């Protein structure tokens, strides 16, 4: 974990062969290799243009008083410090700036009207090159045929142990959710051409925010063939249509939007995340799902001027989205950290240049958006309803738990399901397994969408209150020895009704449509 790498909350380092993709048995031209599978995702989107000086430029956020735009004085200060304004989110007072001057932030912080400023990365703006993150293996036709669906089920639903775990199968007998509710997947992009996503896709609420400025070109929200399928997987977990094809989402009657914030190299930078929340806020999105952390810092410390500025910018954006009606749901992370501990060693920050081991206080150095005020923080459980081996935890930090999968060897599902991971949609009309708190968060986002469907006039505060009240209280697992080696792997603190492993308990889809 000491090597620099992007830390989106997607699949875990679970034994090879467990993370497999599924394609419909009757789908023609199923690719035979991982490389072909990646290519089958479709043509790559056009790469963003890069200025001649981008190799030496950094991106910054400059935070000022919210209002009608940066003042003339602030604009002059930015220009004098060597910066170029890319865009400005006036309602929250966040300005996105590019500069090749390494002292830009230090200089502009001195200007009257600037409340904070900081670099959003530690490496220069990336080139248009992409990196292949790999594609899951395609499930064989024989394995596909073995999934025998009951009457009323989609073909792959027998493989979805996670649906009965939160009573979603029972909930669907009463309601599939309302098409007037949209969940925005702020992530690596969504393939809206997927047969399980297309029926429920909200094009108007979808966008590419990678540069920090909205790009509304048709299809700009899709991942390229070389980019991660993560966002598409998440979208299917939330709202895969109940249409006789593939799998079923937690809320298969609601709409889902794709807000792409991950760049071609797989990083989720502050300016993109701010853009994502602001876009969701201005397009009447009811729920956002955030299965990532904001690069390059796993934890952002208030005593660092750069990290403080990043914290302030994303906090302003997420709070604005909530004020505009969105419930923000986020994954807790996959390092088995106790986020309520006195200190944590962070070996991966900054992950876009040269990381070093640093000891932080997680009450003062925050994982964002996971630990931001108002955000619903989701821990992961496996097929035995125990905390996933990798899931972060922490009393007072974790709000709720949901299925995110685990190694099948640790938590084996009941037949007919065969994998302890979570089934989801993949680009190119495929389906496959992943695991992580990334997979837990969309279950809660889906349940929040069902609550909003049942109570269309409920405020975000009321939706969250119902979410927690309806959760099935789950006591601490003591001792927690998930691998059975006789050693305690994590310590749970708290009561049955609220504790560090499961928060208020396991999310409940049935209560969401009956209360």
């Amino acid at each position: 974990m000491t090597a620099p790498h992007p830390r989106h909350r997607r699949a875990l380092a679970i034994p090879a062969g467990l993370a497999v993709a599924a394609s419909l048995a009757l789908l023609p031209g199923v690719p035979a290799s991982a490389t072909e599978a990646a290519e089958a995702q479709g043509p790559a989107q056009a790469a963003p243009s890069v200025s001649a000086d981008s190799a030496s430029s950094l991106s910054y956020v400059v935070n000022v008083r919210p209002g009608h735009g940066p003042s003339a004085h602030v604009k002059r200060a930015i220009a004098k410090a060597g910066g170029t304004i890319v865009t400005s989110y006036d309602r929250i007072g966040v300005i996105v700036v590019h500069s090749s001057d390494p002292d830009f932030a230090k200089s502009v912080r001195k200007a009257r009207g600037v409340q904070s400023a900081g670099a959003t990365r530690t490496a220069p703006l990336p080139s248009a090159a992409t990196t292949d993150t790999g594609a899951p293996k395609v499930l064989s036709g024989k394995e596909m045929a073995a999934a025998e669906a009951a009457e009323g089920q989609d073909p792959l639903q027998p493989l979805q142990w996670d649906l009965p775990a939160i009573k979603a199968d029972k909930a669907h007998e009463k309601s599939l959710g309302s098409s007037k509710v949209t969940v925005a997947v702020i992530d690596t992009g969504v393939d809206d051409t997927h047969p399980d996503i297309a029926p429920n896709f909200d094009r108007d609420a979808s966008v590419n925010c990678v540069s920090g400025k909205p790009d509304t070109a048709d299809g700009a929200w899709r991942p390229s063939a070389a980019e991660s399928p993560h966002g598409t997987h998440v979208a299917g977990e939330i709202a895969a249509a109940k249409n006789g094809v593939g799998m079923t989402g937690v809320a298969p009657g609601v709409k889902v939007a794709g807000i792409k914030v991950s760049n071609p190299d797989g990083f989720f930078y502050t300016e993109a995340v701010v853009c994502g929340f602001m876009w969701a806020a201005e397009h009447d999105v009811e729920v956002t799902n955030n299965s990532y952390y904001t690069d390059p810092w796993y934890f952002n410390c208030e005593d660092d001027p750069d990290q403080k500025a990043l914290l302030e910018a994303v906090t302003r954006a997420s709070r604005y989205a909530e004020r505009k009606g969105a419930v923000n749901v986020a994954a807790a992370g996959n390092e088995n950290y106790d986020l309520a501990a006195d200190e944590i060693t962070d070996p991966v920050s900054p992950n876009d240049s040269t990381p070093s081991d640093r000891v932080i206080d997680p009450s003062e150095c925050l994982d964002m958006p996971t630990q931001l005020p108002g955000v619903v923080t989701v821990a992961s459980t496996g097929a035995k309803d125990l905390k996933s081996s990798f899931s972060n935890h922490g009393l007072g930090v974790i709000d709720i738990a949901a299925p995110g999968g685990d190694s099948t060897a640790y938590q084996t599902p009941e037949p007919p399901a065969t994998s302890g991971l979570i089934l989801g949609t993949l680009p190119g009309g495929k389906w496959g397994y992943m695991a992580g708190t990334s997979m837990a968060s969309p279950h809660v986002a889906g349940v929040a969408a069902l609550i909003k469907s049942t109570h269309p006039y409920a405020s975000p505060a009321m939706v969250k209150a119902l979410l927690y009240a309806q959760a099935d209280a789950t006591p601490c697992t003591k001792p927690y020895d998930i691998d059975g080696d006789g050693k305690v792997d994590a310590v749970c603190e708290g009561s049955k009704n609220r504790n560090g492993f499961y928060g208020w308990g396991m999310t409940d889809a049935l209560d969401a449509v009956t209360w």
Side-chain angles (χ1 to χ4, degrees):
M1 280 177 51
T2 57
H5 52 91
R7 297 296 302 168
H8 355 131
R9 281 173 179 156
R10 30 182 188 99
L12 271 295
I14 288 175
L18 290 179
V20 293
S23 178
L24 279 180
L26 301 180
L27 194 67
V30 175
S33 72
T35 302
E36 290 170 343
E39 292 171 351
Q41 292 178 18
Q45 301 298 318
S49 61
V50 181
S51 62
D53 67 345
S54 65
S56 60
S57 291
L58 290 181
S59 184
Y60 296 83
V61 286
V62 177
N63 299 315
V64 298
R65 184 177 178 180
H68 301 292
S71 67
H73 181 79
V74 169
K75 289 181 179 178
R76 287 195 298 270
I78 288 172
K80 183 178 179 181
T84 302
I85 294 176
V86 176
T87 192
S88 177
Y89 294 98
D90 302 334
R91 294 191 178 184
I92 60 170
V94 176
I95 309 166
V96 178
V97 178
H98 287 174
S99 177
S100 57
D101 188 334
D103 292 326
F104 171 78
K106 183 178 179 181
S107 299
V108 82
R109 285 182 200 125
K110 300 174 183 177
R112 175 169 47 86
V114 172
Q115 297 176 336
S116 61
T120 67
R121 61 196 73 198
T122 63
L125 294 171
S127 69
T130 60
T131 358
D132 190 354
T133 57
K137 295 179 181 178
V138 176
L139 202 66
S140 71
K142 182 178 180 181
E143 291 169 307
M144 282 290 301
E148 298 181 2
E151 185 178 352
Q153 289 187 337
D154 280 339
L156 299 180
Q157 193 170 335
L159 304 178
Q160 294 182 264
W161 58 264
D162 50 309
L163 294 186
I166 61 170
K167 306 174 199 169
D169 53 339
K170 298 297 184 184
H172 296 164
E173 296 174 6
K174 298 181 178 295
S175 174
L176 301 180
S178 170
S179 61
K180 295 180 180 179
V181 173
T182 294
V183 181
V185 176
I186 302 179
D187 212 298
T188 62
V190 172
D191 178 8
D192 57 301
T193 68
H194 193 290
D196 249 347
I197 294 176
N200 291 334
F201 192 71
D202 187 339
R203 189 255 179 265
D204 291 339
S206 299
V207 73
N208 184 317
C209 269
V210 173
S211 71
K213 185 177 182 179
D215 175 1
T216 58
D218 189 54
W221 54 78
R222 296 176 193 142
S224 73
E227 291 179 298
S228 171
H230 186 260
T232 302
H233 193 283
V234 166
E237 288 182 63
I238 295 169
K242 198 170 184 64
N243 57 355
V245 174
M247 59 175 284
T248 301
V250 172
V254 307
K255 295 294 185 182
V256 65
I259 299 180
K260 185 176 182 179
V261 298
S262 171
N263 76 6
D265 295 317
F267 292 99
F268 294 71
Y269 285 122
T270 294
E271 64 271 27
V273 172
V274 167
C275 172
F277 278 120
M278 295 302 291
W279 181 268
E282 299 296 353
H283 288 79
D284 301 321
V285 163
E286 284 80 11
V287 183
T288 71
N289 185 82
N290 303 271
S291 292
Y292 59 89
Y293 76 70
T294 307
D295 297 300
W297 306 97
Y298 194 119
F299 298 96
N300 293 266
C301 300
E302 294 182 357
D303 61 359
D304 178 282
D306 284 295
Q307 294 166 43
K308 178 183 178 180
L310 309 189
L311 265 173
E312 187 168 347
V314 178
T315 298
R316 290 184 185 189
S318 63
R319 281 178 163 167
Y320 181 73
E322 183 166 358
R323 288 198 302 273
K324 294 286 284 186
V327 175
N328 299 315
V329 182
N334 302 328
E335 283 66 43
N336 195 26
Y337 287 152
D338 181 353
L339 296 175
D342 292 334
E343 61 181 40
I344 291 174
T345 299
D346 170 19
V348 300
S349 301
N351 64 1
D352 61 351
S353 55
T354 305
S356 61
D357 285 3
R358 60 172 186 158
V359 177
I360 61 95
D361 177 348
S363 68
E364 297 180 357
C365 300
L366 304 184
D367 173 352
M368 62 180 186
T370 300
Q371 290 179 272
L372 296 184
V375 173
V376 178
T377 304
V378 184
S380 173
T381 58
K384 298 299 183 185
D385 296 333
L386 302 175
K387 184 186 90 71
S388 301
S389 55
F390 48 78
S391 181
N392 288 352
H393 52 283
L395 180 62
V397 179
I398 300 302
D399 293 312
I400 198 165
D406 205 347
S407 167
T408 305
Y410 295 164
Q411 301 195 57
T412 305
E414 295 295 326
T418 57
S419 173
L421 283 66
I422 303 296
L423 190 68
T425 45
L426 297 174
K430 302 176 183 60
W431 292 262
Y433 294 108
M434 288 183 172
T437 56
S438 272
M439 282 64 250
S441 181
H443 285 77
V444 173
V447 171
L450 292 176
I451 292 174
K452 186 67 176 178
S453 299
T454 306
H455 304 280
Y457 300 108
S459 66
M462 179 58 72
V463 172
K464 288 189 287 183
L466 288 171
L467 189 66
Y468 303 150
Q470 294 170 1
D472 296 330
T474 307
C476 279
T477 305
K478 293 182 178 180
Y480 180 76
D481 176 17
I482 195 68
D483 56 5
D485 65 355
K487 298 178 182 178
V488 173
D489 296 310
V491 176
C492 181
E493 297 180 340
S495 66
K496 175 183 177 181
N497 293 322
R498 194 181 186 196
N499 57 63
F501 275 16
Y502 310 107
W504 295 101
M506 180 75 81
T507 195
D508 189 321
L510 180 57
D511 282 352
V513 300
T514 53
W515 275 34

